[in-house]
Amino acid sequence: MLEGRRVSLGEMDDETLEELRSRITEYFETFYAELRRRLHDHELDLPHPLPEHLRGYRRVVSVLGKDGIVITHWPAPRDSFDFHISPDKTAAELVAEECAGERILEYPPGSDFGTCELDEPLRLTVGDQVVWTSPWTRLEVSSRLDAWSDPDRARKTAEAVIASIKH
């Protein structure tokens, strides 16, 4: 039901919302299981200490806006998954709220902007000085309902994260 569809909150019924919540949860359960497995398998090959943003458990918070979904990953004592709806805000506005007010996502209103991700905390700098670091460890946003539907893609994303820290 989600494949190939753009986010349009006004057109979604309760069944579609539940399917979306379920798929996002399954995707990130798969992602973190694979990430932890690969971290354990490659423990001796990885830089030590392991980057802080890859350690521990996560609270994965999905917020469905009127034209997109924003997912943030927060350090937590155990993995958990929250799903919220913000019907009056665009994905760009939701992302700006998570990025110290910076509008880092720009797109024409109503457009299909695809999927974007930040796979580590955002750091805002002035000159050479970091003036703000996000409290979340990962941020993803998409205008596509099926962006987090494929568990195989979750495994490949985890593999890519491991590959990025090995280099």
Side-chain angles (χ1 to χ4, degrees), residues 5 7 15 20 28 35 40 64 68 79 81 84 98 104 114 120:
R5 289 181 52 194
V7 171
E15 183 179 333
L20 180 61
F28 287 111
L35 183 66
H40 180 67
L64 175 62
D79 286 341
F81 304 88
H84 304 281
E98 299 298 342
I104 65 169
E120 61 184 49

Side-chain angles (χ1 to χ4, degrees), residues 82-130:
D82 297 345
F83 187 84
H84 304 281
I85 298 172
S86 188
D88 299 326
K89 295 184 179 176
T90 65
E93 292 167 330
L94 292 168
V95 168
E97 286 178 0
E98 299 298 342
C99 297
E102 294 292 318
R103 294 198 52 100
I104 65 169
L105 179 64
E106 296 289 338
Y107 55 89
S111 69
D112 181 354
F113 57 83
T115 302
C116 309
E117 59 186 52
L118 299 173
D119 62 1
E120 61 184 49
L122 179 66
R123 288 172 180 78
L124 299 177
T125 60
V126 175
D128 291 339
Q129 185 176 9
V130 175

Side-chain angles (χ1 to χ4, degrees), residues 18-29:
E18 178 55 29
E19 180 181 356
L20 180 61
R21 185 203 60 76
S22 178
R23 285 195 179 187
I24 290 171
T25 298
E26 179 184 5
Y27 182 94
F28 287 111
E29 285 174 338

Side-chain angles (χ1 to χ4, degrees), residues 2-54:
L2 303 178
E3 277 65 39
R5 289 181 52 194
R6 275 192 18 221
V7 171
S8 179
L9 183 55
E11 298 173 9
M12 298 176 77
D13 58 18
D14 289 345
E15 183 179 333
T16 305
L17 289 170
E18 178 55 29
E19 180 181 356
L20 180 61
R21 185 203 60 76
S22 178
R23 285 195 179 187
I24 290 171
T25 298
E26 179 184 5
Y27 182 94
F28 287 111
E29 285 174 338
T30 302
F31 171 80
Y32 281 111
E34 183 70 10
L35 183 66
R36 290 176 184 128
R37 184 186 73 75
R38 287 181 177 274
L39 286 171
H40 180 67
D41 288 351
H42 297 287
E43 190 172 344
L44 298 176
D45 297 341
L46 296 174
H48 288 282
L50 190 64
E52 186 65 35
H53 70 275
L54 295 177

